[in-house]
Amino acid sequence: NKPQRLTPEEYELIKSHPVHGKRILEPISFLRQLVPCVYHHHEAWDGSGYPAGLEGEEIPMESRILAVADAYDAMTTDRPYRKALPHIVAMGELDRFAGKQFDVRVVKIFREVIEQHRQERIELGLIVPLYSSSTIILTWRAFSSWLLDRTWLC
């Protein structure tokens, strides 16, 4: 919750969170299948991510899904150092980094699913927030279910 930019040392510490997540989940038998997803969710499509420097198809599909959902949530949630970005800006950033940080197909499908979710809310007369992190859980469930059911992606 630091209000200013992280120092290089602090950033290195933050980058260790996938390792800590892995360590926490490994001993819990019913969560063990999530270990690769959590451990690799900061890998980048172009190989520039961490902790293992995986690239492209080497990155588990669940990690690619989580990376996009996590990035969207991070962008559309208030942080101590900045206000939440509007949905349209966050989607533009996902598009901009598709093929670099994110799997292009995952970003494309995320866009389809979240826009469908937003349209359904409009049709039901519900509010569609400009800052959409409040809808990320429902969208994440629909998005991950949809993606994981598609054998062409796996």
Side-chain angles (χ1 to χ4, degrees):
N1 293 333
K2 184 178 176 183
Q4 64 269 21
R5 191 180 260 320
L6 297 175
T7 66
E9 296 80 19
E10 290 168 331
Y11 181 61
E12 286 304 311
L13 185 61
I14 293 295
K15 283 175 49 177
S16 69
H17 83 270
V19 174
H20 297 297
K22 177 183 176 186
R23 224 179 273 139
I24 291 166
L25 294 176
E26 280 178 329
I28 306 169
S29 60
F30 73 94
L31 296 177
R32 201 167 293 132
Q33 69 190 33
L34 297 177
V35 169
C37 176
V38 170
Y39 185 65
H40 294 294
H41 77 281
H42 281 288
E43 303 290 356
W45 189 253
D46 66 4
S48 65
Y50 60 89
L54 301 181
E55 65 180 286
E57 299 292 333
E58 295 173 343
I59 305 166
M61 178 56 72
E62 295 85 353
S63 299
R64 291 183 252 162
I65 295 167
L66 182 55
V68 171
D70 184 46
Y72 178 83
D73 180 59
M75 288 185 277
T76 59
T77 302
D78 283 342
R79 302 295 177 154
Y81 51 89
R82 65 147 176 81
K83 290 289 188 191
L85 299 176
H87 166 74
I88 190 134
V89 173
M91 292 309 299
E93 288 297 290
L94 291 177
D95 289 338
R96 187 163 74 102
F97 287 96
K100 298 174 192 115
Q101 184 176 354
F102 307 114
D103 181 337
V104 172
R105 297 169 301 172
V106 173
V107 171
K108 177 182 180 289
I109 294 165
F110 182 81
R111 175 178 287 285
E112 291 171 8
V113 170
I114 202 164
E115 295 305 339
Q116 178 184 353
H117 175 73
R118 290 169 64 83
Q119 186 58 43
E120 287 170 0
R121 289 184 63 87
I122 290 168
E123 290 169 7
L124 292 171
L126 301 172
I127 295 171
V128 178
L130 179 61
Y131 303 92
S132 298
S133 62
S134 61
T135 64
I136 195 68
I137 298 300
L138 291 174
T139 304
W140 162 249
R141 287 183 184 142
F143 173 54
S144 59
S145 295
W146 192 96
L147 263 181
L148 294 174
D149 286 345
R150 299 325 190 251
T151 56
W152 61 272
L153 283 173
C154 300

